Amino acid sequence: MFTLPQLPYPHSALEPHIDAKTMEIHHTKHHQGYVDNLNKAIADNPDLQTKSVEDLLKDLNSLPEAIRTAVKNHGGGHANHSLFWQLMSPQGGKPISPVVELKDQFIQAAMTRFGSGWAWVIKDSAGKLEVMSTANQDSPLSEGLTPILGVDVWEHAYYLQYQNRRADYIQAWWQVVNWNKVSQLLG
Ligand code: MN3
């Protein structure tokens, strides 16, 4: 059984950049929904229930075809959001230069992701940092890549506070990046 992780800070902790209502709905409704639907998808596969969601996403092709898309979508949603909460903090520490250098490219990827999805800084198997974006809840893990930084650009992540102003949301989001977590992920 997968469960919703607690937020590492109160809903209001990221204000004024990200409002408390958005955080509350995003965490308790959207993320909870991915968790519930992931559990439903693997309900008849006990062998999969003991795996981490990351391991499921890294090897989607090994899953029964009937549940592959559901695990990609809802498992991706669970993994992406679990990381996303940790990638934000009211006290994020010192920006990490090699990631900051990719800021313009990262914002460009977030702005040009049509519809719903994510922009990422990832580390490839050779340890090289790159910017990419994924549609829907697709995870970089499914492409053999390690996410280092990721911003949710689904409208549910910003619409209450920023309406259609995705650019304003992304700039505000950059103010609450948890660089301590980024540093840990960089290894
Ligand atoms: Mn979301």
Side-chain angles (χ1 to χ4, degrees):
M1 270 275 284
F2 291 98
T3 56
L4 184 69
Q6 290 219 322
L7 285 186
Y9 38 72
H11 292 135
S12 60
L14 306 176
E15 290 194 344
H17 306 292
I18 311 291
D19 68 288
K21 195 70 188 169
T22 295
M23 290 299 294
E24 182 190 345
I25 296 173
H26 201 172
H27 179 242
T28 67
K29 305 294 183 195
H30 292 278
H31 190 172
Q32 182 72 61
Y34 296 121
V35 170
D36 293 346
N37 285 314
L38 173 60
N39 284 328
K40 261 181 232 165
I42 59 170
D44 296 331
N45 295 81
D47 53 315
L48 300 180
Q49 293 166 14
T50 55
K51 295 197 173 192
S52 70
V53 67
E54 288 80 11
D55 283 345
L56 294 177
L57 293 169
K58 281 176 190 170
D59 199 8
L60 287 172
N61 285 333
S62 72
L63 301 177
E65 205 176 339
I67 64 166
R68 199 175 296 157
T69 299
V71 171
K72 177 165 86 118
N73 290 341
H74 302 295
H78 177 38
N80 291 343
H81 287 85
S82 296
L83 179 63
F84 185 58
W85 311 130
Q86 297 179 60
L87 284 170
M88 299 184 285
S89 169
Q91 283 125 10
K94 195 171 168 288
I96 309 285
S97 301
V99 177
V100 171
E101 281 166 22
L102 297 171
K103 181 183 177 185
D104 289 349
Q105 217 185 318
F106 178 78
I107 289 175
Q108 179 72 7
M111 286 304 296
T112 54
R113 164 49 55 194
F114 182 73
S116 298
W118 294 72
W120 306 96
V121 175
I122 57 85
K123 189 166 70 170
D124 69 16
S125 55
K128 189 171 182 292
L129 295 182
E130 278 187 39
V131 169
M132 68 181 291
S133 77
T134 57
N136 305 313
Q137 295 296 352
D138 294 1
S139 167
L141 294 170
S142 303
E143 297 179 42
L145 305 167
T146 305
I148 300 296
L149 187 67
V151 65
D152 187 343
V153 295
W154 285 56
E155 282 188 345
H156 68 227
Y158 61 90
Y159 205 84
L160 283 181
Q161 189 176 3
Y162 294 99
Q163 291 81 48
N164 61 330
R165 303 189 312 278
R166 188 188 281 191
D168 291 353
Y169 157 67
I170 296 162
Q171 290 291 348
W173 182 84
W174 191 267
Q175 306 303 311
V176 295
V177 168
N178 183 1
W179 294 106
N180 298 321
K181 181 65 184 178
V182 172
S183 169
Q184 185 196 323
L185 291 168
L186 274 172

